Amino acid sequence: MKRHKLSEREAKENLMSNCGVDYSTEPYVFIYAGPHKTGTTSIQSFIYNSLGKNASYLVEDKFAIPTFDELPGVFGGLGPGLNLAHCMLENYVKDGGQMNIAMCNRLRFGALPLYLEKHRNQSHNILIVAEDFDRITINHSRLSYYLRPYKRIRVVVGYRRQHDWLPSWYNQIVDLYTQKYIQGEFPYPNFLQWIDGRYNEFRQVHAIEVATRFRNSGVFESVDILNMHDEVSLLEDLFCNYVLNANATCRGIKEGATPTKPNIGRTHEYERLATKAHLRGKLPNYHAAIAPKVAEKIKITAVRMGIFKDGDAYPRICLNQTFLDQLLQTEMEQERKHFPPWYNSQGGDEGLRKAFQNAKHKLCSMDDEQ
């Protein structure tokens, strides 16, 4: 590459051309690989809804979207791509996956190969969206093998600043374990406890790390990082700037086509407080189905009784300054490297420092013992 003064993408295109791949006619597989809390639910909702409501966009753009029929397994609904992702874990269930080898063989030798063969022969591109492609043990070569006969695979991951992404990720995870916390099977961690015990683990599934693993595999035509802090909406940015040959879909989004199921998270501070009260015998008949309503009632009551001046004015404990400084420095380094023009347009280091300062409240938890 250095000898011939080629970029990485140009070098790959030359290699593919020498291998008989014509970029003007060869269809490709597009994978949005998450990570979690980077709009995967919205994208899934949009593309699977478009199979019925907005199918004309994708048909015009010659895109095919595999459904549960082609990607069978544990996950249905909007998430059949997760079945494929879990089959890519190096050691399947041993790596925390939900798909065992037998289930993956049914996927591998079932309808998927015929589906891919048919659509490649029709010069259709394939769209796959699954956040669990962010897992550390994803076998990228196996993924390429499963997607044969397609020769071109393009990958995009979504970038959120860690000070924005980590609290969102925490809230999703504790939401999944609500009933187990209520039953006392696990202690209900606040955000600080969660970060203290698992930061290094979750740092490995942040966008920059995920993109690095995909790139280092050398398997994919391109691996791009979409900046979710740009002013353009996620769907418009994705289909207008990253998904090749999606002109009709891009136009449809600009004209108002939207996902039917955005995944809007919520904080769990009052739910954690309610759970602790329940485990101490002060809140009987409490369970996961009513947890959000009970938490909201406690919040309203606390304000009405003058305990807090508003629902967010509870006593807080926050991450220590050393950790915050390290987090800010990491974000600065990542954005200088991966989004330099945008980063400079936002004020560079000073702009990020201000944004970080304005969001510091997200990096705190209710002091529920006080």
Side-chain angles (χ1 to χ4, degrees), residues 165-176:
W165 176 70
L166 286 168
S168 180
W169 199 187
Y170 162 78
N171 282 311
Q172 176 167 308
I173 288 178
V174 297
D175 192 50
L176 294 174

Side-chain angles (χ1 to χ4, degrees), residues 178-192:
T178 297
Q179 189 59 32
K180 292 186 180 295
Y181 296 144
I182 291 172
Q183 293 172 343
E185 294 183 34
F186 303 113
Y188 199 142
N190 62 36
F191 178 67
L192 277 68

Side-chain angles (χ1 to χ4, degrees), residues 259-326:
T260 57
K261 186 184 178 183
N263 186 14
I264 300 173
R266 69 180 193 279
T267 60
H268 290 73
E269 301 304 289
Y270 284 94
E271 286 186 33
R272 190 174 68 254
L273 181 63
T275 298
K276 286 194 171 186
H278 168 72
L279 292 174
R280 293 174 183 179
K282 298 182 181 298
L283 196 61
N285 303 318
Y286 179 67
H287 53 84
I290 63 172
K293 291 184 178 180
V294 172
E296 184 63 20
K297 186 174 181 180
I298 292 174
K299 179 178 178 180
I300 292 171
T301 301
V303 174
R304 187 176 67 243
M305 294 177 64
I307 299 174
F308 306 141
K309 66 178 181 180
D310 62 60
D312 296 323
Y314 45 76
R316 297 171 183 265
I317 48 176
C318 301
L319 294 171
N320 67 70
Q321 193 59 46
T322 299
F323 182 88
L324 293 174
D325 290 343
Q326 292 174 344

Side-chain angles (χ1 to χ4, degrees), residues 68-171:
F68 186 83
D69 291 338
E70 293 79 40
L71 298 174
V74 174
F75 302 96
L78 302 178
L82 291 167
N83 296 321
L84 180 63
H86 279 240
C87 285
M88 297 306 110
L89 294 172
E90 183 68 36
N91 296 301
Y92 303 93
V93 175
K94 290 182 179 179
D95 282 345
Q98 301 296 313
M99 297 280 287
N100 59 37
I101 295 176
M103 297 168 75
C104 291
N105 281 337
R106 285 196 292 273
L107 185 154
R108 175 185 170 192
F109 297 112
L112 181 62
L114 295 176
Y115 176 86
L116 294 174
E117 183 73 35
K118 179 186 75 172
H119 284 289
R120 182 175 180 272
N121 289 340
Q122 295 174 352
S123 296
H124 291 163
N125 303 309
I126 304 292
L127 283 176
I128 299 174
V129 180
E131 58 269 37
D132 282 357
F133 281 119
D134 66 0
R135 300 286 188 94
I136 296 173
T137 62
I138 289 291
N139 186 320
H140 302 101
S141 295
R142 187 191 298 165
L143 177 58
S144 176
Y145 181 79
Y146 268 58
L147 294 175
R148 295 184 309 171
Y150 280 83
K151 300 175 182 179
R152 301 175 62 196
I153 306 174
R154 302 174 61 86
V155 177
V156 168
V157 300
Y159 170 81
R160 287 176 71 180
R161 289 169 169 169
Q162 288 192 41
H163 73 254
D164 182 55
W165 176 70
L166 286 168
S168 180
W169 199 187
Y170 162 78
N171 282 311

